[in-house]
Amino acid sequence: MQGTTRTQPQPGSTYPPTDRTVPTRSADRASYDKELVHSILDEGYVCHLGFVRDGAPVVLPTLYGRIGERLYVHGSTGSRPLRMTGAADPGLPVCLTVTHVDALVLARSAFHHSINYRSVVVHGTAYEVTDPQEKRTALDALVDQVVPGRSRDSRPANKKELAATAVIRLDLDEVSAKLRTGGVNDEPEDLGLAHWAGLLPLRKGYDAPVADPGLAAGTGLPDYLAAVR
Amino acid sequence: MQGTTRTQPQPGSTYPPTDRTVPTRSADRASYDKELVHSILDEGYVCHLGFVRDGAPVVLPTLYGRIGERLYVHGSTGSRPLRMTGAADPGLPVCLTVTHVDALVLARSAFHHSINYRSVVVHGTAYEVTDPQEKRTALDALVDQVVPGRSRDSRPANKKELAATAVIRLDLDEVSAKLRTGGVNDEPEDLGLAHWAGLLPLRKGYDAPVADPGLAAGTGLPDYLAAVR
């Protein structure tokens, strides 16, 4: 993301825990550290956004962007959560979750199988962004969340495209991270069992870029794309 | 997964669309095909489970397993959604979503940036599994969802571990898949712009396994793990 829009939190500063962000178990895996939360959010670009419709939960995958202590989600003005936010004057209660799987943890016992992961859960109220300048900045942040630096190397949205896009914002107030790291935790009496145990780290990154067949002559792969591999 | 527990749906059979599973836009990206839904579910093992707590949405990442037209999710008997399901006699309304990101789609215009993805959204009611045999089978399915064949090569759960684990089930009744495939869709008037455009395919699979330092002598990497790489 652009350095100009990213101010670092004070080292050690945290989000205040609430009843919703303190887990009922495995509390040792929870963290409220702002730097950790930002780092997990900044490594991703797809979140799972939850909201309530007719009393039932709905969870949809969608892109997000972060600017400071605010997240942005966008979509067609005709899509369901965006319409619900715009229609609801007091905003739409949401839960936005970002998860990275880092490794499979294969234990000797079925019970101790696990996953090394890092996740962030944000509780709050989403509001429609109506200020045109904030909307433009948010859309740049959404593009740069996927590939840092990309928004400057693409044709900006025109008026018609801006009008067709709704953007909602969600402040980072009630936030927690949860993570599991490390190796296998088997029971001492299982350590002699002849089952293979260990970690299977997930492969990250991208395969070779596939250029659009109609690229303008002389358009090479930009440096910022070579860097993300 | 074990061939014995996986019966193939009739070719072309579909889940009946409902008001909740027909999107308000991009309906061409939606599918109700059972084989497609199963293939998306079987490629993953982490879902995002949504439920409503005190009127607000909660979305948590968790493991799942599929057996036929039923999904299973497990957790500590002390964790929140599991406790809510056990306490709620009529079951817990949930939305379970599985998403695979396949490629970044970088267009010449910011507006047409997108993601190639495949997702499944399941709406329904989750019930606690109380039958001991179904619970054991479900826990095997959860392990085998992560690494097919693994449940047979690990020490099964003992009585104490089974008692500490709650399992909930969710039938595949109200289900849709949504996917984007293919290349860049830029406006005709943008095709001459000198911005690189194309796909960045995500790297899939696993890096080299990291064996637990305390493996029993002579325990080599099993074939089913070599196969998942």
Side-chain angles (χ1 to χ4, degrees), chain B residues 107-180:
Chain B
R108 295 158 185 84
S109 59
F111 184 76
H112 284 294
H113 275 66
S114 190
I115 302 275
N116 280 348
Y117 68 95
R118 291 163 295 141
S119 65
V120 164
V121 176
V122 183
H123 298 273
T125 304
Y127 298 94
E128 187 175 1
V129 174
T130 52
D131 177 73
Q133 188 49 52
E134 184 179 7
K135 193 169 166 180
R136 273 206 177 274
T137 309
L139 291 172
D140 283 350
L142 275 146
V143 169
D144 286 330
Q145 187 83 26
V146 180
V147 178
R150 179 67 186 175
S151 70
R152 288 188 298 272
D153 187 21
S154 55
R155 195 261 295 154
N158 57 35
K159 279 192 180 171
K160 186 181 154 201
E161 291 167 343
L162 279 176
T165 308
V167 176
I168 58 178
R169 68 167 195 269
L170 172 65
D171 286 339
L172 294 174
D173 291 324
E174 195 172 351
V175 185
S176 61
K178 207 171 169 196
L179 55 165
R180 188 204 189 276

Side-chain angles (χ1 to χ4, degrees), chain A residues 89-118:
Chain A
D89 201 41
L92 180 70
V94 297
C95 180
L96 186 155
T97 301
V98 173
T99 306
H100 306 300
V101 178
D102 294 322
L104 311 184
V105 181
L106 305 185
R108 296 161 186 81
S109 60
F111 184 76
H112 284 295
H113 276 66
S114 190
I115 301 275
N116 279 347
Y117 68 94
R118 291 163 295 139

